[in-house]
Amino acid sequence: MNLSRNSYVLALCLGGMWSIAISVLVSVAMSFLTGMAFKPNLTNSAALGVIAGLLFLHFKSKSIIIFFTILACFLLEFPNKEIIWISEDATRLQKILTYTIYSMGLMLPVATMLKGLEPGEVDRFDLETSIIRFLTGVGFIIFTVAVFVPFYVMIMTSLKSQQELLLNPLNFGIDLSKGLGLFRSYYELFSDFNFGSYLWTSLCVSILTVIITLAFAIPGAYAVARLKFKGRSAFSQAILLIYMVPMIVLALPIYIGFSMAGLRNTLVGIVMIYPVTTIPVALYMLQGYFRGLPAEIEEAGLMDGLSRFSVIRRITLPLALPALASVSLYVFMIAWNEFLLALMLLDDPAKFTLTRGVASLNSSEVPRQHLMAGAVISTLPILILFLGLERFMTKGLAAGGVKG
Amino acid sequence: MQNAAPKTLGPLSRREARFAWALLLPTILSVALVIVLPLMAIFWISFKPIALEDLRPASALVREQLRGKPKQSGDAAIIRYKIRNSSQKDPIFGITLADEIPSSLEVTEVDKRCSLKGKNLNCNLGEFEGGQRETLEIRVIAKQDYFNDNLKITDSIAKVTGRGENILTNFNFTMKNFVHVFDSAEFWTVIYATLFYTVFGTIGALVVGLFAALLLNIDFRGKGLIRGLYLFPYVAPVIAVAFAWVILFDPFSGSINALLVQMGVVETPINFFGQKPYALIMVTVFEIWRYFPLSFLFILARMQAIDVEMYEAADMDGASPFQIFWYLSLPTLMGILSILFLLRFIWTFNKFDDIFLLTGGSADTRTLTVNVYEQAFAVSNIGAGAAVAVVIFIFLLLFSILFFRFFNREEGL
């Protein structure tokens, strides 16, 4: 008999591994929720997972969840037999809750993974389908946790006080009883640290950058996409090449030039330099889109006596609105998130952009909940904009976003 | 038909070309000013012995005083000009001083370097060495008007001119910057960190992005939301997420360390961003975390463009899911994967902000880009910073040649 094609072996392996994943996940989640110690016992949980897999394969019933919850609670009473070791401080309810979540998290996905399997021999297709279901489950857990946790830490830290943070770093809970007092560090940022003005500066700079970039990039992109002239292909290659020159290489001469011209420490200088960093990207994205538009409509316009300018204004641009929206969003995002030039060119706190303002909070004198509140303030507008216009943003990123 | 087209350009196509260049002109000018010009400048600066403080060229400074305290008409006094070179090491040439002597002061004796024409005093002081100071004295006798008008001698401002040699524009060149960059003990550490970060960061982001794309290539409720969530790391400002990571992994109050200690994985907290082998690994992990969304987005878009019939045919033939992935999906994705690899490789190589914010280049995480900043601003040696920037640019040129070779074959993107 081929062991690797036996459904019992498969159920046993998947059950064991999934149980380990779930017990670690539940322990970490419970530790963060309560601030108390929860430790997964990997050997025991693997053993229980093996049993779960085999039982389910045999009985095909999800009601063994209840049996498992009771079993796990029961095992806690014996030293070194527990699935998840729970600190003595935890209440009985918390313990039961932990094991209920664990059992459900174990059984329901295992049931899905093993769906359609019969005891005995399995064919390759069913075997791999089960393994893929297992990997999908593990993948979703890892990705979601990895993406979500840093953002949650950002928000959580900003809502706490210094003492709470040092007292128990494990406690991810938010003390809702404080009410509006939770937002103290935000209030202080706006009242004492001038963040209202930073927010306004960033908004103005970003919007101006978008407008100037489009004003330069639209005609350029149209020329590259539609008009015939010598050196057209060389030009579009040059755009790509320029796209690859890193800011840090240019930053030194720009710093020197701006110092000499007296543009350092001025917002005019910032508004002059930001668009130049985004024009090549915008031009590259837009010319790709313009090429995709049917040329016949424009030719018909030309035939009817429109000038090139009115063709662009009355035919091409309305057709390219979705592309303009995604390019605008992308440029806005670059300008809003820009950090290196703001750091080098702005020293005067009255003229900081938001990212520069957040950077200035990174000192030992400023408590870190302020730093994180600043991070949240700078992240929130762009994330809201992104979620609201996700369709455009995804397109914009996909068109030009190989740059990062 | 193509051959039948006229060889010379007709008036129409010439007009079209002119129009095209007119449309491109603003872009070309701005790009030339802010990208091409600085690029040339960085080559120039990299051969210059120049530090941060040299950016302000030497200039002559003057202080004017009336000595002798005249109390009544007829009292003698001295107008004294103290002139000094603002720089301690660079000379200034052709220094002149011009001032207006009030008519209420009668000049009795003029320094021999100066000449007086009416009220106007002009002095020719020649060359000053670095740090040189000179004093000019003009003897005067105060008239009654001086007390009536209640004049101050500084009411007319003394003007000095003189040009210090601007180190940026003179023809002093040196190879010291490059020697400094290549000779220093840390050069190979920097190269190692750059290569480690670039290679593993790029491959990692690509592989992780491929996994994420595979996960989301199935339809389920809430897929849009998950897709949006997975793009967050890329969309959020780097400064916000970098600091969140630093706080999360802090050795004293970071949650990850507390968790690891409590679960018994480690004995003592690890200083993830400050300790030698971990710091470089952590910044690479951060790079993967932050940029996997991009590869994920591109790969997912390509996956959804794959013909469904191909999969159905494979299904009919009894191919297993892994076989379908290995023999069908992966080969069709190879094009986008290799383009992504090249572009991301260049961009990871260029990355500065992330490492700068996470570690500041400490604990052997200083890549070439961070080294530019470190040399130019932390050590204040602009010339050395520029030399590193030139090294980066040469690397990039090599990558770009590779890239365009590849691009021309791969008619995709």
Side-chain angles (χ1 to χ4, degrees):
Chain A
M1 194 175 96
N2 188 350
L3 274 182
S4 64
R5 289 289 174 81
N6 188 296
S7 64
Y8 282 110
V9 177
L10 182 66
L12 169 155
C13 292
L14 294 188
M17 287 192 286
W18 184 255
S19 176
I20 291 176
I22 281 297
S23 61
V24 171
L25 182 73
V26 170
S27 320
V28 172
M30 289 305 287
S31 301
F32 282 154
L33 279 175
T34 63
M36 284 180 287
F38 289 75
K39 283 185 211 167
N41 186 327
L42 297 187
T43 353
N44 291 350
S45 68
L48 200 73
V50 167
I51 299 169
L54 294 179
L55 280 180
F56 179 79
L57 189 64
H58 204 77
F59 292 112
K60 300 270 176 203
S61 157
K62 287 180 189 166
S63 53
I64 29 182
I65 291 176
I66 303 162
F67 166 69
F68 264 83
T69 314
I70 298 167
L71 179 66
C73 287
F74 181 66
L75 283 173
L76 184 61
E77 302 304 321
F78 301 96
N80 295 326
K81 292 282 183 291
E82 72 282 334
I83 311 299
I84 297 169
W85 181 86
I86 303 179
S87 100
E88 300 295 326
D89 311 330
T91 62
R92 180 157 296 247
L93 185 71
Q94 279 172 327
K95 289 178 185 169
I96 293 175
L97 195 69
T98 309
Y99 285 120
T100 315
I101 295 172
Y102 162 77
S103 308
M104 285 171 66
L106 173 65
M107 280 318 296
L108 295 178
V110 166
T112 318
M113 286 172 213
L114 300 179
K115 199 165 69 183
L117 285 186
E118 290 305 322
E121 193 92 352
V122 281
D123 64 10
R124 185 170 175 180
F125 188 88
D126 289 337
L127 176 87
E128 289 184 4
T129 310
S130 296
I131 293 176
I132 282 177
R133 284 184 193 143
F134 168 77
L135 291 176
T136 310
V138 173
F140 271 119
I141 290 178
I142 292 176
F143 273 107
T144 311
V145 168
V147 168
F148 186 68
V149 164
F151 288 96
Y152 185 75
V153 165
M154 210 187 307
I155 295 169
M156 180 214 48
T157 312
S158 73
L159 298 178
K160 287 194 169 180
S161 69
Q162 191 81 3
Q163 296 93 321
E164 286 174 296
L165 284 174
L166 287 173
L167 199 64
N168 187 356
L170 264 187
N171 192 350
F172 267 38
I174 294 169
D175 184 9
L176 291 176
S177 64
K178 280 199 286 186
L180 280 178
L182 276 176
F183 298 99
R184 225 187 75 196
S185 41
Y186 292 87
Y187 176 76
E188 282 170 9
L189 278 188
F190 280 104
S191 61
D192 305 342
F193 287 88
N194 218 4
F195 258 61
S197 119
Y198 300 165
L199 203 61
W200 177 242
T201 308
S202 259
L203 192 69
C204 292
V205 166
S206 307
I207 289 175
L208 278 173
T209 305
V210 171
I211 293 172
I212 298 173
T213 303
L214 286 185
F216 279 68
I218 290 174
Y222 184 84
V224 174
R226 275 283 184 272
L227 303 174
K228 286 186 203 70
F229 60 96
K230 248 190 224 157
R232 183 165 85 159
S233 64
F235 190 84
S236 47
Q237 284 204 340
I239 298 171
L240 252 179
L241 207 66
I242 279 166
Y243 195 24
M244 288 174 190
V245 178
M247 207 46 206
I248 186 80
V249 168
L250 307 175
L252 264 180
I254 288 174
Y255 176 87
I256 294 170
F258 268 44
S259 301
M260 286 172 161
L263 284 170
R264 218 162 73 77
N265 242 332
T266 62
L267 286 175
V268 177
I270 289 284
V271 172
M272 277 167 62
I273 198 83
Y274 276 13
V276 186
T277 64
T278 51
I279 287 171
V281 198
L283 207 155
Y284 181 70
M285 285 161 77
L286 278 177
Q287 58 103 13
Y289 193 86
F290 285 160
R291 265 192 202 149
L293 293 177
E296 289 79 10
I297 308 176
E298 286 173 30
E299 279 157 16
L302 282 175
M303 294 289 224
D304 288 346
L306 287 177
S307 71
R308 273 283 183 190
F309 260 121
S310 15
V311 166
I312 296 178
R313 197 166 59 83
R314 290 160 76 168
I315 298 177
T316 316
L317 287 189
L319 281 175
L321 264 186
L324 291 181
S326 52
V327 171
S328 305
L329 266 173
Y330 186 58
V331 169
F332 186 90
M333 188 188 92
I334 294 180
W336 183 271
N337 292 352
E338 206 291 328
F339 164 71
L340 170 62
L341 286 171
L343 177 77
M344 291 180 76
L345 299 179
L346 296 178
D347 298 325
D348 179 2
K351 290 168 187 156
F352 279 179
T353 59
L354 201 51
T355 47
R356 183 68 184 89
V358 176
S360 72
L361 292 179
N362 183 28
S363 84
S364 49
E365 287 144 40
V366 182
R368 59 173 46 169
Q369 64 268 28
H370 284 71
L371 176 63
M372 283 296 98
V376 173
I377 293 172
S378 64
T379 309
L380 219 53
I382 198 82
L383 284 194
I384 289 172
L385 202 65
F386 170 75
L387 279 184
L389 301 164
E390 194 238 334
R391 218 156 31 91
F392 290 122
M393 196 76 157
T394 329
K395 256 196 212 141
L397 288 178
V402 190
K403 176 172 185 167
Chain B
M1 281 306 281
Q2 290 272 303
N3 296 336
K7 283 259 163 61
T8 51
L9 292 172
L12 251 172
S13 48
R14 241 181 307 177
R15 227 178 74 188
E16 186 167 310
R18 261 209 306 277
F19 185 62
W21 285 111
L23 289 181
L24 284 171
L25 196 67
T27 304
I28 293 172
L29 281 182
S30 65
V31 164
L33 197 67
V34 182
I35 293 174
V36 180
L37 199 70
L39 263 183
M40 296 195 289
I42 201 92
F43 275 92
W44 179 269
I45 298 167
S46 69
F47 290 104
K48 290 252 155 213
I50 177 172
L52 202 55
E53 66 266 19
D54 295 329
L55 285 186
R56 187 173 294 162
S59 62
L61 304 175
V62 66
R63 208 156 65 104
E64 188 179 3
Q65 268 181 325
L66 187 68
R67 310 281 298 200
K69 293 198 182 102
K71 292 206 176 56
Q72 60 191 34
S73 173
D75 275 1
I78 298 171
I79 302 175
R80 182 181 283 169
Y81 298 97
K82 280 187 171 169
I83 303 136
R84 69 180 176 88
N85 183 344
S86 69
S87 160
Q88 287 303 313
K89 56 180 216 275
D90 300 321
I92 309 178
F93 306 101
I95 297 177
T96 62
L97 181 140
D99 198 11
E100 220 172 73
I101 310 280
S103 51
S104 53
L105 292 172
E106 193 189 328
V107 177
T108 54
E109 192 190 335
V110 183
D111 190 288
K112 60 179 178 298
R113 288 168 288 187
C114 301
S115 63
L116 188 69
K117 266 185 199 152
K119 294 194 311 185
N120 294 327
L121 179 77
N122 281 303
C123 306
N124 209 336
L125 299 168
E127 182 185 333
F128 272 29
E129 290 302 314
Q132 188 177 343
R133 290 158 188 277
E134 292 284 330
T135 311
L136 274 183
E137 291 188 341
I138 315 289
R139 290 176 186 280
V140 291
I141 290 173
K143 293 189 210 165
Q144 189 54 43
D145 291 350
Y146 179 76
F147 303 100
N148 297 347
D149 298 351
N150 198 14
L151 268 175
K152 276 206 199 76
I153 192 75
T154 44
D155 285 349
S156 69
I157 294 159
K159 292 189 193 74
V160 275
T161 58
R163 84 202 133 69
E165 203 174 15
N166 191 334
I167 193 148
L168 276 173
T169 49
N170 68 11
F171 290 93
N172 275 341
F173 293 108
T174 172
M175 284 302 288
K176 257 209 281 196
N177 296 322
F178 287 96
V179 173
H180 177 79
V181 168
F182 286 107
D183 238 20
S184 65
E186 71 216 358
F187 180 72
W188 291 110
T189 330
V190 169
I191 292 289
Y192 174 76
T194 312
L195 286 181
F196 183 94
Y197 179 71
T198 312
V199 170
F200 288 105
T202 309
I203 295 178
L206 223 60
V207 171
V208 173
L210 179 62
F211 275 125
L214 284 172
L215 278 185
L216 286 179
N217 199 26
I218 40 172
D219 278 314
F220 57 90
R221 240 189 311 150
K223 178 179 162 178
L225 193 75
I226 296 270
R227 192 176 57 188
L229 179 75
Y230 285 7
L231 292 176
F232 273 16
Y234 177 70
V235 179
V238 58
I239 188 158
V241 284
F243 285 145
W245 271 59
V246 169
I247 282 181
L248 186 62
F249 286 93
D250 189 277
F252 305 109
S253 57
S255 310
I256 297 287
N257 266 310
L259 188 71
L260 289 178
V261 169
Q262 199 176 69
M263 285 191 162
V265 182
V266 293
E267 293 279 306
T268 49
I270 300 169
N271 190 354
F272 280 107
F273 285 112
Q275 227 164 311
K276 247 179 202 174
Y278 300 114
L280 189 55
I281 296 171
M282 284 305 292
V283 291
T284 311
V285 170
F286 180 83
E287 154 80 22
I288 295 172
W289 179 82
R290 191 161 138 71
Y291 295 100
F292 90 85
L294 268 183
S295 350
F296 147 69
L297 209 62
F298 280 82
I299 297 170
L300 188 63
R302 185 74 191 82
M303 271 182 177
Q304 284 172 345
I306 296 178
D307 201 356
V308 191
E309 278 173 31
M310 217 163 70
Y311 284 120
E312 280 166 2
D315 242 5
M316 296 285 268
D317 292 345
S320 74
F322 281 114
Q323 284 174 323
I324 291 182
F325 172 72
W326 194 253
Y327 294 109
L328 266 185
S329 308
L330 212 53
T332 38
L333 292 176
M334 242 17 233
I336 185 83
L337 282 178
S338 38
I339 286 177
L340 267 176
F341 176 81
L342 276 168
L343 280 174
R344 285 303 315 159
F345 188 88
I346 291 173
W347 274 103
T348 315
F349 181 84
N350 286 348
K351 207 72 224 156
F352 165 78
D353 317 24
D354 305 39
I355 295 184
F356 178 74
L357 287 170
L358 288 171
T359 67
S362 64
D364 283 356
T365 56
R366 196 194 295 179
T367 56
L368 278 169
T369 48
V370 179
N371 206 17
V372 175
Y373 190 90
E374 191 76 13
Q375 299 287 352
F377 291 99
V379 189
S380 299
N381 189 347
I382 293 229
V388 182
V390 167
V391 173
I392 293 180
F393 187 72
I394 289 168
F395 267 110
L396 272 177
L397 226 51
L398 292 177
F399 294 150
S400 305
I401 292 169
L402 263 177
F403 178 77
F404 276 110
R405 281 242 168 119
F406 193 83
F407 230 169
N408 290 343
R409 270 192 292 134
E410 198 77 37
E411 298 287 343
L413 213 80

